[in-house]
Amino acid sequence: MRHFAIVGSGPAGFYTAEALAKAYGGEARIDIIDRYPVPYGLIRFGVAPDHQSLKAVSKRYDQVAEGGTVQFLGNVAVGAHVSIDELRGLYDAVILAIGAPHDRKLGIPGEDLPGVVGSAEFVGWYNGHPDFADLDPPLGGSHAAVIGNGNVALDCARILAKNRHEFEGSDIVGHALDALDRSAIRTITILGRRGPHQISMTPKELGELGHLEAAAPLVEAGDFPPIEADEALEPGQRKSINILREFATHEPDDSKPKKIVFDFFARPVRIEGDGKAERLIVERTMLDAGGGAQGTGEMYEVAASLIVTSIGYQTPRIDGVPYDERGGKFANDAGKIADGLYAVGWARRGPTGTIGTNRPDGYEVAEQIAAAMPPGSDGAKAGSKVLNGLLEERGIKATSFTDWRTIEAAEVAAARPGSPREKMVRHDDWLKALGH
Ligand SMILES: Cc1cc2nc3c(=O)[nH]c(=O)nc-3n(C[C@H](O)[C@H](O)[C@H](O)COP(=O)(O)OP(=O)(O)OC[C@H]3O[C@@H](n4cnc5c(N)ncnc54)[C@H](O)[C@@H]3O)c2cc1C
């Protein structure tokens, strides 16, 4: 018998559990540990609430959790409640799948002014993340800015632009829905340091902006290189650029009260305001020979009382685990950190790729583990039998997958019309639902 601990119950954690369960069958016990009483990481707290079909991937993870080999231990924060060294003493292998939940900083003056929020905070606020339930982003001004040219920036802009009833069928939390309904924001500027060819936005997410009820996308035709240059792009990127080119042909649509303005070649240099964010000072850029952004010295202002920065994420450090400072992730070689210690998903690769990109990561690491300790071989580790005792001694009440099902049922029962569930957003509410 082998014992494996996977830290983190997002896609990377679950794909790794699936791969280990397939490789070892009944010869392994796999514990998926998460700091929250509820599973699925960014599927619950990150993926946009109006993208329900994507969130349905969790049904596949349910099957993994219910397969008999895998146990969910929620409400256990590794690094705080139990250390990595302790886990390594109890398990044949420990796999870190803790994602990259911390926003990267812009590093410009004014970034700490009220009104400037990271996308992890903003997304967490509308998605029911307990740490951000009280964020209360300022929605009373007419202008917002989103800094970044990836899909998360598009999510943030789209959520700010939608009318209340366009959230029907979503699982957006009630506090965010009410606040967005009262929002005065009419112009949302999306800023990117480079041009349309350098975006990291996928066609589906870009295309959605063309179908919003109350908002129209605006793109400057002059920002594009000659159309022949599109031929060198890979097909997905070419599709995205075609959508942007199409937006650039739109006449201003006065029937739509909101605008989503794409501001390319725009490098924020400072955030200003009287005790709170009021405007971004931006330098116009151009592409240098290597495809990077080079300042032109031309400065201008973009009004914004809400500024969402969406320029990437970092994995938090955990004591005893080597860290790759530049990459903002655990130092690893193809997923291996040290003997018996691995990383998968965003904690391994950094914050790139889709949900599905985490699957090969998990399978590759499971293969490495199976090569190091072949299925059928025995280890001498105690696994969750001893971990459970340790947690009990420390007053930590771990939640099980059955507990999650209880919470889920309570959320579904509390759902308002047109919503699949009413998410609980506080730690205490989760534990209360379990009678703890
Ligand atoms: C805003 C946003 C929107 C996205 N939308 C899409 C989309 O539409 N489509 C798509 O394909 N991809 C999308 N992605 C990408 C996708 O969510 C990621 O690829 C995926 O979630 C990464 O998986 P992960 O398991 O590495 O990390 P995560 O999903 O972040 O999971 C990490 C888990 O580790 C837990 N954890 C963290 N620290 C500890 C600790 N110390 N102890 C115990 N547990 C811990 C967390 O609670 C969490 O459950 C989106 C990402 C973001 C940020």
Side-chain angles (χ1 to χ4, degrees):
M1 178 63 66
R2 293 287 180 176
H3 295 275
F4 301 123
I6 297 171
V7 185
S9 67
F14 266 98
Y15 287 125
T16 309
E18 181 184 87
L20 285 171
K22 276 190 190 159
Y24 285 84
E27 296 296 314
R29 292 281 169 272
I30 302 160
D31 293 336
I32 302 185
I33 301 170
D34 204 287
R35 66 185 320 147
Y36 298 111
V38 296
Y40 306 141
L42 286 172
I43 302 295
R44 179 180 173 101
F45 295 128
V47 172
D50 55 347
H51 285 173
Q52 285 299 304
S53 57
L54 282 168
K55 295 196 178 214
V57 69
S58 65
K59 297 275 172 288
R60 175 177 177 154
Y61 307 154
D62 289 350
Q63 286 167 11
V64 173
E66 287 165 342
T69 312
V70 173
Q71 176 182 220
F72 176 66
L73 288 170
N75 203 30
V76 178
V78 172
H81 299 149
V82 58
S83 72
I84 285 291
D85 285 348
E86 286 171 327
L87 287 182
R88 293 183 77 185
L90 294 174
Y91 290 87
D92 292 292
V94 176
I95 301 107
L96 300 175
I98 67 165
H102 292 176
D103 283 296
R104 275 190 187 273
K105 301 290 264 180
L106 278 170
I108 60 173
E111 190 169 10
D112 296 325
L113 283 171
V116 185
V117 299
S119 60
E121 300 170 271
F122 185 65
V123 167
W125 170 73
Y126 64 65
N127 256 327
H129 191 297
D131 292 353
F132 309 118
D134 297 321
L135 184 72
D136 196 17
L139 303 173
S142 55
H143 287 67
V146 182
I147 300 174
N149 265 183
N151 277 343
V152 176
L154 287 181
D155 280 354
C156 295
R158 186 181 71 256
I159 296 293
L160 284 168
K162 275 194 167 183
N163 277 345
R164 186 179 189 103
H165 79 90
E166 290 178 283
F167 286 106
E168 249 172 50
S170 82
D171 66 348
I172 191 167
V173 290
H175 65 230
L177 184 62
D178 291 341
L180 289 164
D181 195 29
R182 292 190 300 270
S183 165
I185 291 171
R186 294 292 172 266
T187 303
I188 303 144
T189 305
I190 301 178
L191 296 101
R193 283 178 308 168
R194 296 185 294 161
H197 270 203
Q198 286 75 36
I199 56 168
S200 301
M201 297 168 167
T202 46
K204 177 186 170 287
E205 278 71 17
L206 262 177
E208 279 179 88
L209 296 193
H211 303 285
L212 296 174
E213 188 179 89
L218 290 182
V219 178
E220 277 290 330
D223 283 340
F224 292 90
I227 192 133
E228 304 78 58
D230 292 7
E231 281 164 26
L233 299 172
E234 67 77 28
Q237 188 74 343
R238 203 179 315 137
K239 253 192 191 170
S240 292
I241 306 311
N242 283 343
I243 293 169
L244 281 176
R245 284 193 187 274
E246 203 259 318
F247 290 164
T249 64
H250 291 186
E251 293 295 324
D253 183 351
D254 290 338
S255 69
K256 298 197 174 182
K258 299 182 195 174
K259 288 184 293 190
I260 300 176
V261 182
F262 283 82
D263 192 1
F264 291 112
F265 302 108
R267 173 161 58 203
V269 293
R270 198 162 66 243
I271 297 168
E272 292 182 347
D274 190 6
K276 58 182 180 4
E278 289 173 5
R279 73 195 80 85
L280 266 168
I281 307 300
V282 181
E283 180 179 20
R284 182 62 69 214
T285 64
M286 54 192 277
L287 289 182
D288 63 21
Q294 181 186 322
T296 62
E298 179 196 336
M299 300 287 180
Y300 60 99
E301 285 184 18
V302 173
S305 46
L306 168 66
I307 297 172
V308 182
T309 63
S310 179
I311 55 164
Y313 300 101
Q314 285 173 314
T315 298
R317 290 162 191 284
I318 295 187
D319 273 351
V321 184
Y323 195 78
D324 168 358
E325 199 69 54
R326 258 192 98 211
K329 58 187 181 167
F330 295 125
N332 71 88
D333 180 8
K336 183 170 176 179
I337 300 173
D339 283 343
L341 184 63
Y342 300 86
V344 290
W346 279 15
R348 166 189 173 175
R349 309 188 310 274
T352 57
T354 62
I355 294 164
T357 318
N358 300 293
R359 189 171 180 273
D361 260 25
Y363 274 74
E364 192 187 332
V365 161
E367 266 173 34
Q368 288 185 44
I369 293 171
M373 40 191 102
S377 66
D378 275 332
K381 302 291 174 100
S384 61
K385 234 193 287 164
V386 173
L387 176 65
N388 285 336
L390 208 67
L391 294 172
E392 213 167 295
E393 260 170 48
R394 294 173 186 174
I396 309 300
K397 276 209 157 143
T399 55
S400 65
F401 198 74
T402 310
D403 289 336
W404 153 238
R405 290 298 213 188
T406 304
I407 292 171
E408 188 182 34
E411 289 187 337
V412 170
R416 73 195 106 85
S419 170
R421 67 177 70 221
E422 196 62 51
K423 279 180 183 160
M424 295 180 193
V425 292
R426 315 233 174 231
H427 224 88
D428 285 354
D429 292 339
W430 285 322
L431 300 184
K432 236 187 271 158
L434 299 174
H436 287 189

